[in-house]
Amino acid sequence: MNLNIEEKAKSKLIIALDYDDLKEAQESVENLGNNVDIYKVGLEIFLNTNGKIIDYLHEKNKKVFLDLKFHDITNTVKAACEYAIKRNVFMFNIHCSNGSKTMRKVAELVKKHNSNSILIGVTVLTNLSEEDIQEMFKSEMNLKELVLNMATITKNSGMNGIVCSADEAKFIKEKLGNNFVTVCPGIRPRFTLNKEDDQSRIMTPYNAIMNNADFLVVGRPVTKSENPVKAVKFIIEEISKGLNEKSDKLEK
């Protein structure tokens, strides 16, 4: 495999540390070693370690995607984001449903601190289906239209990108430009597709790359695997295959 392509593939993979125990999370990171550079810190591991997981990952020279999905009144969200900025995380998110007023304030806060943190908005959670959206919002917009509307407001507010399903990444890029970041959970390697899943909108790593996803978030297919290192290498191969095919198309 081309070393440059493999490194690029690694830079797109985020492993979710969905544990309730610091020692378990540490063992997972130690086991994966240099195969993974970026980890997602969600509510479960963050709360159960009092945030110490961030310090541990930084000590290991790993990048942190702080996935706490801040959603509250503007001043509270700003204070939470100030915490994330001061912890020097690679990326963090707030809910798009905070609205443009809050999103603009947070984008201004990131600039004020000269932070390199990538600021993204959570659109529609990937465990929600078209039926769930209609039940919740009674909207004339379908799911993709709702995601695009949220993404447009996010971009216009000065934020860097969104969390969305890989199925939506391509048309988001087409509408809002290649520099608008798409972070995609619900990524399922081919060896897990026949298993029970609580995600509604899923896609393989290869297809996600072909659909212009920037970052792929993978959790249980790696962390619950009998051989996590082998699972990661398989995913990186899938990502690399997509990157190679996209590169070949551009050269033609």
Side-chain angles (χ1 to χ4, degrees):
M1 189 189 299
N2 184 306
L3 185 60
N4 289 336
I5 288 290
E6 184 177 358
E7 286 301 312
K8 190 174 180 182
K10 274 177 62 179
S11 74
K12 290 182 171 293
L13 177 62
I14 302 175
I15 298 300
L17 292 175
D18 295 328
Y19 298 102
D20 61 6
D21 179 75
L22 181 59
K23 187 178 178 181
E24 271 191 280
Q26 289 172 330
E27 287 174 354
S28 181
V29 173
E30 294 287 345
N31 184 34
L32 292 173
N34 292 328
N35 294 291
V36 177
D37 293 330
I38 315 172
Y39 286 93
K40 180 178 84 74
V41 171
L43 281 168
E44 183 181 17
I45 188 66
F46 180 83
L47 293 174
N48 279 289
T49 65
N50 295 314
K52 291 177 183 177
I53 185 63
I54 297 175
D55 297 324
Y56 167 75
L57 289 170
H58 282 161
E59 286 168 9
K60 292 293 177 180
N61 294 316
K62 303 299 182 183
K63 295 178 180 178
V64 175
F65 166 29
L66 188 61
D67 181 35
L68 300 184
K69 302 182 178 72
F70 302 135
H71 189 195
D72 212 306
I73 62 171
T74 302
N75 283 341
T76 302
V77 172
K78 277 182 64 182
C81 291
E82 187 119 28
Y83 169 88
I85 292 166
K86 288 178 178 177
R87 297 304 298 270
N88 196 31
V89 297
F90 172 66
M91 179 161 58
F92 69 96
N93 56 19
I94 70 173
H95 268 285
C96 295
S97 50
N98 280 296
S100 60
K101 179 172 69 175
T102 297
M103 288 195 282
R104 280 197 303 271
K105 293 288 186 184
V106 173
E108 290 167 5
L109 188 67
V110 172
K111 287 181 181 178
K112 176 186 171 184
H113 284 273
N114 293 314
S115 172
N116 292 320
S117 295
I118 300 170
L119 171 60
I120 57 175
V122 180
T123 54
V124 177
L125 299 175
T126 49
N127 71 322
L128 298 176
S129 66
E130 191 79 56
E131 291 73 23
D132 294 322
I133 295 305
Q134 292 304 317
E135 179 187 47
M136 290 166 66
F137 296 107
K138 303 296 182 186
S139 171
E140 292 183 5
M141 286 192 288
N142 62 34
L143 196 152
K144 280 193 173 182
E145 290 170 333
L146 183 61
V147 170
L148 177 59
N149 183 56
M150 287 181 164
T152 302
I153 295 169
T154 302
K155 182 175 182 181
N156 291 342
S157 299
M159 291 173 53
N160 303 117
I162 57 166
V163 179
C164 64
S165 80
D167 185 49
E168 294 134 17
K170 187 175 183 179
F171 87 97
I172 290 294
K173 293 281 192 178
E174 288 170 354
K175 297 290 185 181
L176 300 179
N178 284 327
N179 291 330
F180 193 66
V181 176
T182 52
V183 180
C184 302
I187 302 299
R188 294 294 180 263
R190 283 183 284 114
F191 61 80
T192 65
L193 287 180
N194 294 325
K195 296 182 179 179
E196 260 188 54
D197 208 312
D198 64 352
Q199 297 278 30
S200 292
R201 289 151 36 236
I202 62 175
M203 190 172 282
T204 66
Y206 166 78
N207 287 329
I209 291 299
M210 298 305 290
N211 227 36
N212 293 338
D214 290 308
F215 293 99
L216 282 57
V217 182
V218 183
R220 285 161 294 179
V222 169
T223 57
K224 301 298 183 185
S225 170
E226 291 181 4
N227 191 332
V229 172
K230 184 178 178 180
V232 162
K233 288 183 175 179
F234 183 90
I235 292 166
I236 289 173
E237 283 179 9
E238 278 203 56
I239 296 172
S240 298
K241 181 184 175 185
L243 291 174
N244 274 318
E245 286 192 24
K246 289 182 75 173
S247 178
D248 289 343
K249 285 181 181 178
L250 288 173
E251 290 174 5
K252 288 178 181 178

